[in-house]
Amino acid sequence: MRVLLYTGGRNAVRQSGVGTALSHQERALAMADVDFTENPREEYDLVHINTVLPDARWMAAKARREGKKVVWHGHSTMEDFRRSFVGSNAAAPLFKKWLKSCYGSADLVLTPTEYSRKLLEGYGMGVEVVPISNGVDTGYFRKEPGQRRRFRERWGFEETQKVILCVGLPIERKGILDVIDLAGRLPWYQFVWCGHTYAGLLPGKIRRAIARAPGNLHFPGYLNREELRDAYGGCDLFFFPTYEETEGIVMLEALSMKIPVLVRDIPVYGDWLEHGAHVWKERDIPGFEARIQAILDQTCPDLTERGFQAARERDLRIVGESLASLYRAVIR
């Protein structure tokens, strides 16, 4: 069995969760000793596609013509396309039709969670959809000496300051407007939003809100893997107020780093992350405001060990073995 891990369009998604998921698959397949290539000109039995760009649809059609099997990773849904970029709400129904065309051409669709499986099955594509986590490298994302000092020295934070970290594209769906509001309500804390997208893609209200953000909300932009690990190790709380996700790789990374995690109470986390056991969940600004203060005042129980166990169950080694098993089943 030889797998083509298709990397076309990688530059367009490099700074997104899809780009991270692709990197995870490379490491997971290597850990599982799966024979794979990223060169479409080489021989292969099955192609694994991650993006929904036009070249990916072309690659799937080419593979089918040549009698190859096609596995498509369903990272994107119509639901998480909304409230993202300029025109995304209006374009969402058309995007759904495109997703159905892409995913419907596969022999198997993989998607990160049971929640996203149910969404995609509701599209009526007639293709089996199997949940498999994007995974996390728990051997890499772990606390080590020096991370806190490096992070705080680089961005000018004092040791005694409480720092709240958010990671993701600065879009409405990810909760950027709520973070701006909370930074204004909680000026004695420092908020850091790591992530970048081209300003021209953001609706005007988002650009204006970011421009008027209070001084305790910092935007360092996109951080590479090493810088992001230091950010996790240097913060006091990871805050992920996203309104819609298929999983949330950065949240898994934070859990792996054994830092407190606060997420929005949304369906994707309902069946595998328990409030008060693995993470803290809240629904709105007042709930977030109260919970942030309770976590940072240490009046809440420490959930980091159980949170780490949830991340360890999704380690890349486990993901690699699962992918290998699914590939073999499709080829058979």
Side-chain angles (χ1 to χ4, degrees):
M1 176 182 73
R2 193 156 201 242
V3 174
L4 168 62
L5 191 57
Y6 184 64
T7 58
R10 185 174 201 158
N11 287 338
V13 299
R14 188 175 297 276
Q15 296 184 9
S16 72
V18 176
T20 302
L22 182 52
S23 297
H24 281 193
Q25 289 161 21
E26 292 169 332
R27 290 193 287 276
L29 295 182
M31 290 176 181
D33 293 323
V34 173
D35 182 16
F36 75 96
T37 179
E38 294 179 353
N39 185 351
R41 296 184 180 87
E42 295 183 3
E43 287 297 316
Y44 64 93
D45 304 294
L46 174 152
V47 59
H48 185 164
I49 299 172
N50 282 270
T51 71
V52 291
L53 299 171
D55 67 287
R57 186 69 179 83
W58 173 86
M59 183 68 237
K62 179 176 183 294
R64 295 302 292 265
R65 287 196 303 270
E66 296 174 355
K68 315 290 188 182
K69 297 295 185 178
V70 177
V71 170
W72 211 309
H73 224 112
H75 300 290
S76 299
T77 66
M78 177 188 69
E79 289 74 10
D80 72 9
F81 181 69
R82 291 195 181 107
R83 301 175 72 182
S84 54
F85 305 112
V86 172
S88 61
N89 286 359
L94 290 176
F95 186 63
K96 180 179 180 179
K97 290 182 179 180
W98 175 249
L99 293 179
K100 291 174 66 175
S101 173
C102 291
Y103 299 158
S105 70
D107 296 286
L108 175 69
V109 173
L110 305 179
T111 195
T113 56
E114 180 66 19
Y115 167 74
S116 55
R117 180 190 69 80
K118 291 177 181 177
L119 285 182
L120 294 181
E121 284 188 339
Y123 291 4
M125 299 176 295
V127 178
E128 183 181 8
V129 183
V130 174
I132 178 171
S133 174
N134 287 311
V136 59
D137 189 344
T138 59
Y140 182 84
F141 285 101
R142 61 183 181 182
K143 277 191 177 179
E144 294 179 350
Q147 292 169 345
R148 187 177 179 89
R149 174 186 54 78
R150 286 193 301 268
F151 171 71
R152 289 172 179 259
E153 285 182 355
R154 176 168 185 179
W155 303 110
F157 299 129
E158 297 177 5
E159 174 60 30
T160 56
Q161 288 181 302
K162 299 294 187 181
V163 178
I164 300 161
L165 179 69
C166 308
V167 181
L169 300 176
I171 57 179
E172 185 175 3
R173 175 176 64 83
K174 292 287 188 180
I176 183 64
L177 295 178
D178 292 336
V179 172
I180 292 171
D181 188 342
L182 285 161
R185 291 168 180 251
L186 301 169
W188 48 91
Y189 299 137
Q190 300 298 313
F191 289 76
V192 179
W193 186 291
C194 300
H196 170 76
T197 193
Y198 295 109
L201 296 176
L202 297 175
K205 72 173 183 178
I206 303 298
R207 296 197 303 270
R208 290 189 294 271
I210 291 174
R212 295 194 298 262
N216 63 322
L217 174 52
H218 310 271
F219 294 94
Y222 175 77
L223 302 187
N224 64 34
R225 197 164 179 248
E226 293 77 16
E227 293 167 337
L228 185 56
R229 182 173 59 173
D230 279 353
Y232 290 131
C235 74
D236 299 287
L237 168 66
F238 181 76
F239 181 34
F240 198 48
T242 179
Y243 285 86
E244 182 69 29
E245 289 293 319
T246 53
E247 185 175 39
I249 294 174
V250 294
M251 187 269 303
L252 290 178
E253 292 169 349
L255 291 175
S256 182
M257 294 287 295
K258 296 186 179 181
I259 57 177
V261 172
L262 171 61
V263 300
R264 190 180 301 277
D265 189 2
I266 54 177
V268 67
Y269 301 129
D271 62 345
W272 60 285
L273 290 177
E274 183 181 345
H275 171 67
H278 306 99
V279 299
W280 296 106
K281 299 179 182 179
E282 298 294 343
R283 293 181 181 273
D284 52 25
I285 293 290
F288 287 138
E289 183 178 2
R291 184 64 65 182
I292 286 171
Q293 294 182 90
I295 293 171
L296 295 180
D297 290 344
Q298 297 183 338
T299 59
C300 289
D302 183 353
L303 310 181
T304 54
E305 282 299 327
R306 286 196 64 183
F308 171 71
Q309 295 305 319
R312 192 163 69 171
E313 291 171 3
R314 291 158 180 78
D315 186 79
L316 288 186
R317 291 188 180 278
I318 297 173
V319 171
E321 294 295 337
S322 298
L323 285 173
S325 178
L326 288 165
Y327 292 158
R328 287 193 290 267
V330 170
I331 290 174
R332 284 198 300 270

